[in-house]
Amino acid sequence: MIPILFEANAKNFDTFGIGVLRDTTSCEITEERNGTYELTLKYPINGSLYGCIRKERIIVAKPNDLAKNQAFRIYKISIPINGIITVNATHISYDLVTIGVTPFSLENASVSQCGETLLIKGVIPHSFSYQTDMSKAADFGATLPVSIRSLIGGSKGSLLDLFGGEFEWDNFKIYQHSARGEDRGVVIE
């Protein structure tokens, strides 16, 4: 799939947005389990959409053969080297780093209640939703203002810290699975 460029405020990625980045020379997406989810794209300065590539805009690309197209927000554009720029972008879910929550607490709440409440408590309107297949319960909350992304995973007392599991990011949908993928009896050595 050829990457597509969208405006920074885009929410629907079913169109061709600003345009298709057909002059792209390479596009690599890296996703680590419960970690980094990034896109690195190389684009020539004589490409038709070179002048449209800007920080905060969104690039939509297919991360692997099985996944749906995913949105990545541009955070860095290199200076041209040999007529090629390198564009770095993080998955749209990293927008949750910029959305805080005020202090709250839940007692003996299910994983689903914790995730849904966390998103509801966001101080800025957003389009994210949360689902899980887990049925554990625990006390959950924040004693100080903190970002939603931090309370999802990456801090003591986060959803990941309390309940474990593996996150799947599907644009504005957050899935916390007890385990992602299947054991198909294959070992890669």
Side-chain angles (χ1 to χ4, degrees), residues 15-188:
T15 68
F16 289 115
I18 294 170
V20 177
L21 296 168
R22 65 180 92 256
D23 300 315
T24 298
T25 58
S26 77
C27 182
E28 294 180 11
I29 297 173
T30 304
E31 181 184 14
E32 297 174 3
R33 184 172 59 115
N34 294 333
T36 304
Y37 200 1
E38 283 206 14
L39 173 142
T40 303
L41 179 132
K42 297 201 181 284
Y43 196 82
I45 60 172
N46 61 358
S48 62
L49 292 177
Y50 170 74
C52 298
I53 298 173
R54 295 187 195 120
K55 285 184 180 180
E56 297 301 317
R57 285 202 166 154
I58 296 169
I59 296 174
V60 172
K62 193 169 173 74
N64 60 56
D65 292 340
L66 303 174
K68 293 188 271 183
N69 294 343
Q70 296 297 310
F72 295 85
R73 187 170 303 283
I74 299 171
Y75 71 89
K76 181 176 156 189
I77 303 168
S78 75
I79 59 169
I81 298 174
N82 295 327
I84 304 282
I85 58 169
T86 301
V87 178
N88 298 95
T90 54
H91 190 269
I92 197 76
S93 63
Y94 282 82
D95 283 4
L96 292 170
V97 169
T98 64
I99 302 173
V101 294
T102 54
F104 71 96
S105 67
L106 299 172
E107 292 182 16
N108 197 32
S110 70
V111 185
S112 183
Q113 285 176 303
C114 293
E116 290 167 6
T117 300
L118 175 59
L119 293 178
I120 290 168
K121 294 287 184 179
V123 295
I124 298 172
H126 58 80
S127 301
F128 291 93
S129 64
Y130 174 86
Q131 288 183 307
T132 185
D133 62 358
M134 300 164 63
S135 58
K136 301 174 186 176
D139 295 344
F140 178 69
T143 56
L144 298 170
V146 66
S147 78
I148 291 176
R149 182 77 185 208
S150 178
L151 278 178
I152 287 174
S155 66
K156 187 173 175 30
S158 68
L159 293 174
L160 183 60
D161 182 48
L162 291 174
F163 303 110
E166 298 178 13
F167 284 98
E168 176 184 1
W169 310 98
D170 181 12
N171 291 320
F172 295 104
K173 296 176 186 165
I174 305 163
Y175 299 101
Q176 186 174 10
H177 301 283
S178 54
R180 222 174 134 183
E182 298 175 26
D183 182 356
R184 296 195 171 142
V186 175
V187 177
I188 300 172

